[in-house]
Amino acid sequence: MKTDLTDTTSSKINKALVLGRRAIGTPAVGMVLTLVIVTDEENAYDALKAANEASREHPSRTLVVIKRVSRSPRDRAQARLDAEVRLGADASTGETVVLRLYGEVVDHAQSVVLPLLLPDAPVVVWWPVNAPSDPANDPLGALAQRRVTDTYAAEQPIQELTARADAYTPGDTDLSWTRITPWRSMLAAALDQVVCEVTSAEVEGEEFNPSVELLAMWLADRLKVPVRRSKSAGPGLTSVRMETDAGPIVLDRPDGSLATLSIEGQPDRAVALKRRETAELIAEELRRLDPDDTYATALRFGVERLDEGAAITAPETVVDTVVETVVEPAAETASEAAPAAKPASKKAPAKKAAAK
């Protein structure tokens, strides 16, 4: 069931929700939370589709806030709110309200969203793109117990991690962190099978993928060892190698679907590490609404400390260089028949430190 409301108010939207529930025969509210999606028109469809699939596990009232761009000064001076109310089969297992904001109301989206929140239910705000630099101090983010961003969608993902660390507030999280949950579980399980001490590690993945940096920072923080970040063609994370005193432990996923776990002295094992869709990531984040202290610790470790620590402990590379010794010709003697002296030149090995 869909209801379109043009130039409306929050009060009229609430009334449409009540009338809609009565019309489909479900007057009771069975939602467990309110999910607020802040996005643009281009990404609204994909974000709403992911939220509807996640609502099968977490029935919720989904509020999609779309801030429309006004092209002329006259349009920017006029405030207008259009809404689309979806119930029943059109909203999966919950309720969906698509809010399109025009003009001055764009800067006061919280005043539109606040009356539509479910009473006595937690609030989660998700920015699929264009997340604020400080989500907790954003007017909409201040309404939520949980704030979800995605640095993978930023223009400069790696630099965005530093900004997230500086502005971190308990309750913040990122889908780039959620993507590496299976990797963290598999690596922790691998270390539980072997009694060893990890000396160094290397994380390999595609360039400009913040999940690679987050996994490397998590390993460096937890294991207290130098971790190097390497680039590959992808997709996503491709390999993690941990050097231990009992032999290397390697988790390799070249195709983005099936990975191979190699432990010294044990047969190789195939493990499922398929790249997950956005709906699965959002569903995982909605399972817990308390602060993620592990994410905070890994985020604050710092991207700049990864390769720096690995380069300091890197072994030196011995490079043979040719050192030529120039010997001046012997002084002429009275006898021109004397043979000329051969230059005494030899190759001398020299050590050259590995480049950082």
Side-chain angles (χ1 to χ4, degrees):
M1 177 180 179
K2 292 184 181 181
T3 305
D4 290 328
L5 302 174
T6 303
D7 197 5
T8 186
T9 62
S10 298
S11 177
K12 295 179 181 179
I13 296 173
N14 266 322
K15 185 180 296 185
L17 286 170
V18 174
L19 294 176
R21 286 197 300 268
R22 291 177 180 174
I24 63 177
T26 56
V29 179
M31 274 66 70
V32 298
L33 57 89
T34 303
L35 175 62
V36 182
I37 305 174
V38 187
T39 183
D40 53 17
E41 198 71 61
E42 179 183 359
N43 297 277
Y45 174 80
D46 293 333
L48 184 55
K49 181 181 178 181
N52 286 338
E53 293 180 7
S55 69
R56 298 172 183 172
E57 182 177 345
H58 309 279
S60 60
R61 174 177 290 180
T62 304
L63 306 177
V64 184
V65 180
I66 303 175
K67 300 180 179 181
R68 298 298 296 268
V69 178
S70 301
R71 301 186 180 277
S72 65
R74 182 180 303 173
D75 293 337
R76 287 192 291 268
Q78 297 176 355
R80 192 176 98 229
L81 170 64
D82 295 343
E84 181 181 340
V85 179
R86 303 179 184 180
L87 296 170
D90 294 319
S92 189
T93 59
E95 300 174 346
T96 300
V97 181
V98 181
L99 304 169
R100 289 182 171 86
L101 284 59
Y102 301 83
E104 295 180 352
V105 74
V106 169
D107 299 326
H108 305 281
Q110 73 278 7
S111 62
V112 178
V113 171
L114 186 59
L116 301 176
L117 301 179
L118 290 173
D120 301 326
V123 180
V124 179
V125 178
W126 172 32
W127 291 270
V129 293
N130 301 326
S133 57
D134 190 353
N137 288 328
D138 182 81
L140 285 173
L143 302 175
Q145 288 79 32
R146 191 79 164 169
R147 295 163 294 275
V148 184
T149 57
D150 191 358
T151 53
Y152 186 78
E155 292 185 4
Q156 297 180 333
I158 310 306
Q159 288 79 355
E160 194 74 14
L161 288 177
T162 304
R164 290 280 175 267
D166 296 337
Y168 176 81
T169 302
D172 293 352
T173 189
D174 197 276
L175 293 186
S176 296
W177 172 256
T178 315
R179 291 183 180 96
I180 63 174
T181 300
W183 285 82
R184 294 188 291 119
S185 301
M186 191 60 60
L187 292 173
L191 289 176
D192 287 341
Q193 301 177 30
V194 184
V195 179
C196 62
E197 181 179 354
V198 181
T199 57
S200 65
E202 181 178 6
V203 181
E204 185 182 74
E206 64 182 358
E207 192 175 6
F208 306 121
N209 190 328
S211 296
V212 182
E213 269 74 16
L214 283 171
L215 182 58
M217 291 189 291
W218 174 73
L219 286 172
D221 176 71
R222 287 295 179 179
L223 300 177
K224 309 301 181 185
V225 298
V227 180
R228 186 184 300 276
R229 197 264 197 236
S230 302
K231 299 177 183 178
S232 69
L237 268 163
T238 55
S239 176
V240 175
R241 181 184 181 91
M242 295 183 292
E243 299 292 344
T244 72
D245 54 4
I249 298 176
V250 181
L251 183 60
D252 184 47
R253 187 190 67 178
D255 59 355
S257 177
L258 190 65
T260 302
L261 177 63
S262 302
I263 302 177
E264 188 73 17
Q266 299 182 15
D268 294 348
R269 280 163 284 183
V271 294
L273 272 182
K274 183 180 178 181
R275 303 189 72 190
R276 297 182 294 171
E277 301 293 335
T278 306
E280 300 176 71
L281 303 177
I282 287 295
E284 178 182 332
E285 285 300 332
L286 296 180
R287 293 187 192 117
R288 56 174 300 175
L289 300 177
D290 56 319
D292 192 343
D293 297 331
T294 307
Y295 165 69
T297 305
L299 185 65
R300 288 170 175 164
F301 181 84
V303 178
E304 67 282 351
R305 295 175 58 187
L306 292 176
D307 291 332
E308 178 182 355
I312 292 176
T313 58
E316 293 184 349
T317 303
V318 178
V319 181
D320 291 341
T321 58
V322 178
V323 180
E324 295 184 355
T325 304
V326 179
V327 179
E328 296 181 357
E332 295 182 356
T333 58
S335 175
E336 295 181 357
K342 295 183 180 180
S345 60
K346 293 183 179 181
K347 295 183 179 180
K351 288 188 178 180
K352 183 178 179 182
K356 293 184 179 181

